[in-house]
Amino acid sequence: MKNRVVITGIGAITSAGNDAEAFWKACIEGRSGIKPITAFDTTNYPSKLGGMVGNFSPEKFIDPMKIRRMDKVSQLAIVSAIQAIKDSGLLITPENSEMAGIVIGTAYGGTATTEEFYVGLLKNGPSATNPMLFPITVPNTAASQISFELKIKGPNSTFIQKEISAEAAICYAARLIMDNRADAVVAGGVDELNSILFHAYCTLDVPSPRDKKEEVFRPFDKRRNGLIVGEGTGILVLERLEHALNRNAKIYGEIAGWGMTGANSDVSNYDKNPDMMTEAMRLALKAANIGIDNVDYVNACANGTGLDATETKAIKNLFNKRAKEIPISSTKPVTGDFKGMGGLRIITALLAIRDNIIPPTINYSVPDAECDLDYVPNNARKEEVNNVLINTFSNGGSNVAMVVKRYKP
């Protein structure tokens, strides 16, 4: 028997709120944090909007002298990790620090700092370049900085795999606990939005308005015309069930199982064939020992592109006639879409279970014949939630489906 893995703490920094409860309140109220970007110049781009974190004050959590040596990604990850640890009530001590771990997913890491370092190197030469920037140009900086701040000495890993980066990190963290390699793991994802990434997204024609019309993030809607990019972090404290029970920790839910598949899609495009997406979901339900009749809510990957219709087909393939009965929503228009948002989406599932509320898909108004399921349009729905299926499908063909369930002894 593998150890059961439960979640005892959550932390989040998003454009819609700088802690998990504020983010959740925005979700159920259908209130988006997407606004015109002011952090950098968007004059020459068709897209002007972004889910930028605002009113973020890391000095409330981190020594200002340390902040000087941290990139934004590390600051976001550390603050949400501190939130999650505090929420869990877990105390890291010299005696238990080696049985605590950190696993973080990020698609890009601190690209703004990397640019600053290498532009300085090219412009000014090695002797005039700030050497303190170099150690924080690597993608595993956030995980390392969390370990320094929280004094965690156990397993420390970073996953970089586009949209599934955070989900892959959380699955690995759960496996560490299942296999007795850790009692508790801080796990989740983080990514920032900056001028470099925004330029890349716009050059690849990813963001709304891809049809040069209205810039709105509206998954599943017939008028969908691309995503709106965001930034932020969602961090969880995962624990071995017995470990959590022994210290009388509150339990948000349990990671019941997951499924991973690949596909033969182009490296920069989503798979147009739904079969391997369906297989990832099937494997997740099998691992969780949950039948299709017991799924209460699907938190969809849908991002306002052609992926929405493909995911709809994948859900129909798995659930057959029941597909039309299952509430499905995409919460990405609340925060903007960023690659390392898997932890945030699991937090959404956990709070849906806690409060028995299904968050809506906002901005939905015009039905599409290709997307003909129940997408919980615009208004949250009060309904019993025990088992949530979370889908994440990456361009390039990596698929993860996870099942989070209500904890029951």
Side-chain angles (χ1 to χ4, degrees):
M1 293 288 293
K2 298 287 186 183
N3 294 320
R4 292 170 66 182
V5 181
V6 295
I7 298 102
T8 58
I10 56 177
I13 307 290
T14 76
S15 63
N18 286 344
D19 59 59
E21 295 297 342
F23 156 71
W24 177 238
K25 190 171 187 289
C27 283
I28 60 177
E29 291 178 355
R31 178 168 38 82
S32 178
I34 293 171
K35 297 176 181 177
I37 293 172
T38 58
F40 49 86
D41 186 10
T42 62
T43 302
N44 296 323
Y45 301 105
S47 300
K48 311 294 182 184
L49 304 178
M52 304 289 292
V53 170
N55 301 316
F56 178 54
S57 302
E59 65 276 4
K60 293 180 180 179
F61 299 84
I62 311 169
D63 184 337
M65 293 299 293
K66 295 179 181 179
I67 292 174
R68 294 174 58 188
R69 299 188 179 186
M70 292 179 188
D71 60 358
K72 183 179 181 180
V73 165
S74 294
Q75 293 173 29
L76 290 168
I78 288 172
V79 171
S80 56
I82 291 172
Q83 290 176 347
I85 283 285
K86 182 179 179 180
D87 184 43
S88 74
L90 179 66
L91 296 177
I92 304 298
T93 67
E95 291 73 29
N96 67 17
S97 63
E98 292 185 12
M99 285 301 289
I102 298 168
V103 189
I104 299 298
T106 178
Y108 303 113
T111 49
T113 304
T114 303
E115 181 201 35
E116 183 182 351
F117 175 77
Y118 284 107
V119 167
L121 185 67
L122 291 171
K123 281 186 174 181
N124 307 316
S127 61
T129 300
N130 182 359
M132 301 307 298
L133 292 176
F134 181 70
I136 55 178
T137 61
V138 293
N140 70 335
T141 299
S144 298
Q145 294 279 19
I146 293 172
S147 72
F148 299 151
E149 193 67 24
L150 299 182
K151 297 179 172 55
I152 290 175
K153 297 180 180 179
N156 188 311
S157 296
T158 299
F159 281 72
I160 305 168
Q161 202 167 348
K162 291 189 177 180
E163 282 96 330
I164 72 163
S165 297
E167 288 83 352
I170 292 164
C171 291
Y172 180 68
R175 177 57 66 184
L176 290 173
I177 293 172
M178 289 178 176
D179 293 343
N180 285 316
R181 295 169 61 191
D183 291 327
V185 182
V186 175
V190 60
D191 269 305
E192 67 177 342
L193 176 57
N194 53 48
S195 60
I196 310 165
L197 292 174
F198 192 77
H199 173 77
Y201 280 119
C202 290
T203 301
L204 293 170
D205 195 29
V206 171
S208 171
R210 295 166 74 173
D211 58 4
K212 308 300 185 263
K213 295 181 181 179
E214 186 181 11
E215 186 178 3
V216 182
F217 198 168
R218 44 191 171 208
F220 298 118
D221 191 286
K222 187 174 183 179
R223 300 169 302 154
R224 62 189 181 276
N225 61 3
L227 57 86
I228 292 178
V229 187
E231 65 178 0
T233 177
I235 301 292
L236 316 169
V237 175
L238 277 56
E239 281 191 67
R240 181 168 51 86
L241 174 59
E242 291 78 4
H243 189 270
L245 293 176
N246 286 341
R247 62 182 194 84
N248 295 314
K250 72 175 179 298
I251 295 174
Y252 284 99
E254 181 174 355
I255 294 182
W258 61 84
M260 294 184 176
T261 62
N264 295 321
S265 60
D266 180 80
V267 69
S268 60
N269 292 314
Y270 294 103
D271 193 0
K272 295 181 180 179
N273 185 324
D275 290 352
M276 298 315 294
M277 297 179 186
T278 300
E279 180 65 4
M281 289 187 281
R282 187 192 69 78
L283 290 171
L285 295 184
K286 180 180 179 181
N289 195 27
I290 290 174
I292 60 173
D293 292 333
N294 300 116
V295 175
D296 301 307
Y297 165 50
V298 176
N299 188 274
C301 185
N303 61 6
T305 71
L307 171 65
D308 301 9
T310 308
E311 184 174 11
T312 296
K313 292 176 184 176
I315 292 170
K316 287 180 178 180
N317 288 347
L318 179 65
F319 290 94
N320 300 311
K321 292 181 180 179
R322 188 165 186 264
K324 291 184 177 292
E325 302 171 4
I326 303 172
I328 302 162
S329 70
S330 172
T331 48
K332 292 179 178 180
V334 172
T335 60
D337 190 358
F338 58 96
K339 306 289 189 186
M341 69 185 303
L344 197 62
R345 296 179 61 220
I346 291 175
I347 289 171
T348 304
L350 294 168
L351 297 181
I353 290 169
R354 184 193 69 181
D355 296 345
N356 286 312
I357 295 179
I358 297 172
T361 304
I362 62 174
N363 305 326
Y364 180 94
S365 59
V366 181
D368 183 354
E370 290 189 301
C371 300
D372 57 351
L373 302 179
D374 177 7
Y375 303 118
V376 194
N378 300 311
N379 295 300
R381 184 179 301 168
K382 191 73 176 174
E383 197 164 312
E384 183 175 356
V385 182
N386 292 301
N387 302 304
V388 180
L389 177 64
I390 303 160
N391 288 337
T392 307
F393 309 126
S394 170
N395 54 37
S398 298
N399 307 312
V400 176
M402 300 183 68
V403 175
V404 175
K405 70 179 184 181
R406 185 182 299 276
Y407 164 67
K408 296 180 181 178

